[in-house]
Structure formats: structure tokens, C-alpha cells
Amino acid sequence: MKQRKPIVIANWKLNGGLDLICTSVASFIGKHFAAQIAICPPYLYMRDMLTFLQYSELQIGSQNVSRYESGAYTGETSAQMLKQAGCSLCLIGHSERRAMFAENNEGCQIKVRTALNHELLPVLCVGENQQQRETNITEQVLREQLRGGLTGIDLHGKDLCIAYEPVWAIGTGLAATPAIAQEVHQFIRAELTRIFDEATANRVRILYGGSVTKSNARDLLQQADIDGLLVGGASLDPGHFVAICEQASELAEIDD
Ligand code: PGA
């Protein structure tokens, strides 16, 4: 039986606008979810979303966080600012940021630490690309990302999420099968045991991301080590995203 509360996070990336905010928030009004649900809109829209939060159980997350606290860092947004604005969590090291904005494991580790210091839930994203999978170095890549991103992190009394997002599955419509995802999640949990300890590894939630839809969400979530979902494209359709959240909540209730 799963002991960890399921979590579903929408990653809007550089998409959406006021219309999507209104329709998304409206789809959540009056609904209760046993799973934890968050939306990561572009920074500019966070405040707009937060004004509606009193009417729903939605949380707001950010797609990134600065490694710096304050100062001459043009274009950055700090963890403290996000926390003060009402943000609950932040994605760190999404593969698009690693590939296009030169994020590395060391930078991710600083961001994880900064997020924890400001009581934001860090969601560290890891995942291999197609070539790495084909050359059988998936575990090596994940080990480096996890060790690099978590070295020296103290999780006493704090929560952490890992999002396993195979790059080959992101935006391609080719989600990992539940069996493949479970195998990798199990590896990630074993690696977390080595980095922290068994009790800590057992409470870290590991999300799957990459072409999640309402058609594959349930099967993925039923796997023992899949504790949540990170949803890109399908989260831009509010009805579709709500359907995924409902599936996660049903499983949470069963697991209770
Ligand atoms: P996708 O994106 O659901 O569109 O594949 C997931 C992500 O990049 O977080």
C-alpha cells in the first residue's frame, strides 16, 4: 500500500494566458482532491492565479528558482520572493533548462538548498535522453544527477520530490510504459537510500513526467514507486488536467 500522498503538478512552460488561468481555476472550484495538486504557470501569471486560490485547493509552483538570494542578477526570481508571493513548490533542473539554459547538477544542488531554506518544496527533475537510454547508461546518468543535485542536502524535517522525466518521452506522445517507469523509480529510490537513508528515501515522493495523459495516468500511478505525475501538454487543457487529478485522488483514497 502506498504511504505517500500522491501529487500532480502541471507545468505550463511558456504557455497559457489569462484565459487559461480563468478556465483552469474555474475547473477546480468546489472540487476536493485527496491528492496534492499544483500548477506552475509562467511567473507573470502567478499573482493572478493566487488571487483565485481562496476558492480552490490548488497550489502554485514555479518552473524555476534563482540560486541567488538577491543582488545584481538581472532576470532572476528568488526563493524568498516566490515564498512571499504564496508559492508552495518549485521545479528545479527541468531537462529543458538543462539543455537550453545550461543548468548543471551543481547549480541544481544550490537551488534545492535555497528552496529548502525558504520552505519551498523542491521538485528536482532528472532523466536520460534517448541516446543515453540506447547506450544503456540511464542508471549512470540518473546517479550523477541525483548525487550532484543532492550532495550535502539535509532533509531532516523537510520534504523533497524527484521528478523522473525521460527526455525521450517529453512532448513526444511516447510515454514510458508503467513497467519501465516503475523500474527506474525503484532505482531512484534505491539511490536515495544510498544518498540519505532508507526512512528518508521512503518518504520522498517520486513523480513521473513525459507525455502523461488521462489515458495513461492511472496505470502509471498504480505502480508501487510512482507517487505522482508532472504534466506538461495535457495540463493546458483544464478538463483533461482535472481528469488526471481525479484519478490520482481516487488512488489516494483507495490507498488510505
Ligand atoms: P509533457 O511535458 O507532458 O508535455 O510531455 C512534461 C514536462 O516537460 O514536464
Side-chain angles (χ1 to χ4, degrees):
M1 189 196 284
K2 275 189 198 169
Q3 322 239 305
R4 299 170 287 265
K5 180 176 178 144
I7 175 167
V8 181
I9 305 176
N11 176 12
W12 284 5
K13 310 189 180 185
L14 188 52
N15 296 298
L18 291 175
D19 285 359
L20 183 60
I21 289 168
C22 292
T23 49
S24 287
V25 172
S27 342
F28 279 90
I29 289 177
K31 290 201 162 67
H32 168 71
F33 292 96
Q36 183 181 354
I37 315 289
I39 293 184
C40 302
Y43 283 127
L44 197 59
Y45 298 126
M46 277 179 185
R47 295 295 304 194
D48 297 294
M49 288 206 86
L50 283 157
T51 55
F52 293 109
L53 280 187
Q54 54 187 308
Y55 304 113
S56 82
E57 296 177 350
L58 269 177
Q59 294 182 338
I60 297 300
S62 71
Q63 299 173 17
N64 186 20
V65 60
S66 179
R67 60 194 278 175
Y68 303 108
E69 296 288 339
S70 65
Y73 302 107
T74 303
E76 292 287 276
T77 304
S78 73
Q80 185 179 25
M81 291 170 184
L82 292 169
K83 185 68 189 176
Q84 277 178 354
C87 228
S88 304
L89 56 88
C90 60
L91 306 183
I92 293 172
H94 188 282
S95 64
E96 286 151 15
R97 296 212 57 85
R98 290 178 191 261
M100 291 182 266
F101 301 97
E103 296 229 351
N104 59 23
N105 294 330
E106 192 236 338
C108 288
Q109 184 253 90
I110 295 169
K111 290 182 177 195
V112 169
R113 190 183 301 274
T114 306
L116 289 171
N117 284 345
H118 291 281
E119 277 155 31
L120 284 172
L121 170 65
V123 182
L124 176 66
C125 304
V126 298
E128 81 287 3
N129 64 29
Q130 183 153 13
Q131 196 207 356
Q132 290 163 336
R133 175 154 280 267
E134 280 166 3
T135 49
N136 288 322
I137 58 166
T138 297
E139 292 192 352
Q140 184 187 321
V141 170
L142 295 174
R143 187 176 291 122
E144 278 165 21
Q145 290 175 336
L146 290 166
R147 294 204 175 169
L150 297 172
T151 308
I153 298 291
D154 181 0
L155 273 190
H156 283 100
K158 307 216 166 167
D159 284 336
L160 166 76
C161 286
I162 303 293
Y164 169 56
E165 295 208 301
V167 180
W168 46 269
I170 295 179
T172 59
L174 298 169
T177 62
I180 289 181
Q182 165 57 23
E183 191 185 325
V184 176
H185 281 227
Q186 209 175 347
F187 169 78
I188 291 173
R189 202 172 304 283
E191 199 54 35
L192 291 173
T193 303
R194 285 186 274 273
I195 295 170
F196 300 109
D197 54 67
E198 199 177 342
T200 306
N202 280 334
R203 68 180 171 82
V204 171
R205 287 175 293 174
I206 308 176
L207 292 72
Y208 168 80
S211 296
V212 171
T213 66
K214 61 183 177 188
S215 311
N216 58 22
R218 188 181 303 275
D219 287 347
L220 286 161
L221 285 166
Q222 274 171 335
Q223 304 301 309
D225 289 288
I226 301 186
D227 309 310
L229 300 169
L230 180 51
V231 189
S235 72
L236 298 174
D237 174 338
H240 196 135
F241 184 60
V242 167
I244 294 172
C245 297
E246 282 171 346
Q247 291 179 28
S249 294
E250 282 163 29
L251 290 169
E253 274 156 7
I254 293 168
D255 288 334
D256 280 349

